[in-house]
Amino acid sequence: MNVSRGFLHITYKIYHHLDLVDGERKSHCLNVFLSVMKYAWKKNGYKAQLRHETIHKDTGLCRTTIKSCLETLNKLNIVKSVRGRSGKTYLVNETFLRAEKLYEPTQIAVKPTQDSRFTATLEEELYINTIGKIVKSFAGDREKILDELSKLPLEELKAETVNVYLCKQAIQRKEDNEIKANATYVSGDKILAALSKIKKQANPRYREKVEYNKRNGIKPWENK
């Protein structure tokens, strides 16, 4: 393999675009992307036919992680996976690259026209952004994390595969909040009045007085 290229012509666009991916997974995706770029050169259209074994040797990541990262890069339109007879070909989206001056000029920096190779599928990863951002933004403040997560739709919380434990707690908090919101509360004055009435009725002398008034047809309230 020709290793004379001194630089990988990558822009910060890819780093910010990968903010849609959570924590450690983001670093794994970057690692896999760098491995693909090691073989994807401008002169071959930024395409490379690679096996997972090759990426494993470059990155040290297990094959399961490599497969997951390639699927994520594909969904985020960074590296398109094209299946062929002899395996998969990985095509790098030139939007995330800087033009190389060693070869003919290219329009990499121009916004690409709609291309079936890079059909937008970012919606499939947005839930990672929402939940992951909340967890990272309030790291160390568990109560705040649960408060913010409990505001998300129930479907998003149930679909989460990374912060599963936190999402289960957020679901419970969401249910508790709904119960509190629908609960009917009695004012303190009514409770005190009811307790006072019970206390009065439990008094033997009070009961004797009530029985006496009933026998003699006395209605004390009429004399007030």
Side-chain angles (χ1 to χ4, degrees):
M1 185 190 69
N2 187 349
V3 294
S4 61
R5 179 168 59 180
F7 301 94
L8 289 177
H9 299 265
I10 303 169
T11 69
Y12 271 107
K13 286 182 182 179
I14 184 174
Y15 191 84
H16 297 308
H17 194 51
L18 281 171
D19 282 344
L20 293 167
V21 183
D22 201 29
E24 187 179 25
R25 191 176 173 194
K26 177 179 180 179
S27 65
H28 290 336
C29 287
L30 279 170
N31 208 356
V32 171
F33 177 78
L34 291 174
S35 176
V36 173
M37 280 299 298
K38 181 179 177 182
Y39 306 94
W41 288 46
K42 177 176 174 56
K43 61 184 178 182
N44 59 16
Y46 291 109
K47 292 187 294 185
Q49 289 185 327
L50 294 175
R51 295 181 179 275
H52 289 180
E53 175 65 23
T54 303
I55 299 176
H56 166 68
K57 291 179 180 178
D58 288 340
T59 63
L61 299 174
C62 69
R63 289 171 178 76
T64 301
T65 300
I66 291 171
K67 181 181 178 182
S68 175
C69 288
L70 287 171
E71 289 176 352
T72 299
L73 291 172
N74 187 46
K75 288 178 180 178
L76 295 179
N77 304 321
I78 297 172
V79 177
K80 186 69 176 177
S81 301
V82 181
R83 184 180 296 278
R85 292 184 179 180
S86 59
K88 282 190 175 181
T89 297
Y90 299 101
L91 177 63
V92 178
N93 188 343
E94 298 181 25
T95 302
F96 301 102
L97 306 178
R98 181 181 178 184
E100 295 189 49
K101 297 181 180 179
L102 297 177
Y103 306 103
E104 295 180 2
T106 179
Q107 292 184 336
I108 292 174
V110 178
K111 183 178 179 180
T113 56
Q114 186 68 26
D115 190 326
S116 61
R117 297 177 302 171
F118 300 112
T119 304
T121 56
L122 297 183
E123 292 80 1
E124 299 179 24
E125 296 294 323
L126 286 180
Y127 75 91
I128 297 177
N129 181 36
T130 305
I131 295 177
K133 288 273 186 168
I134 289 174
V135 174
K136 287 192 288 186
S137 297
F138 302 102
D141 190 343
R142 179 174 168 276
E143 292 302 312
K144 184 64 175 178
I145 290 174
L146 294 180
D147 284 339
E148 293 300 317
L149 289 179
S150 65
K151 298 175 184 178
L152 298 178
L154 189 60
E155 294 73 17
E156 290 189 29
L157 295 173
K158 289 182 176 180
E160 173 65 3
T161 58
V162 178
N163 302 288
V164 178
Y165 180 68
L166 286 173
C167 285
K168 284 184 178 180
Q169 291 184 308
I171 290 173
Q172 183 61 53
R173 178 161 299 193
K174 189 179 188 70
E175 293 174 349
D176 292 343
N177 290 340
E178 290 177 355
I179 291 174
K180 290 179 181 178
N182 296 325
T184 301
Y185 296 96
V186 180
S187 68
D189 291 340
K190 288 185 177 180
I191 293 174
L192 292 175
L195 291 174
S196 178
K197 183 177 180 181
I198 292 173
K199 182 179 179 181
K200 185 188 293 185
Q201 292 174 344
N203 189 319
R205 292 184 179 181
Y206 174 80
R207 291 201 300 269
E208 290 176 2
K209 184 65 175 178
V210 170
E211 292 297 326
Y212 175 82
N213 290 341
K214 286 182 179 179
R215 286 196 304 271
N216 296 281
I218 299 174
K219 300 179 181 180
W221 59 86
E222 291 181 351
N223 297 327
K224 292 183 179 181

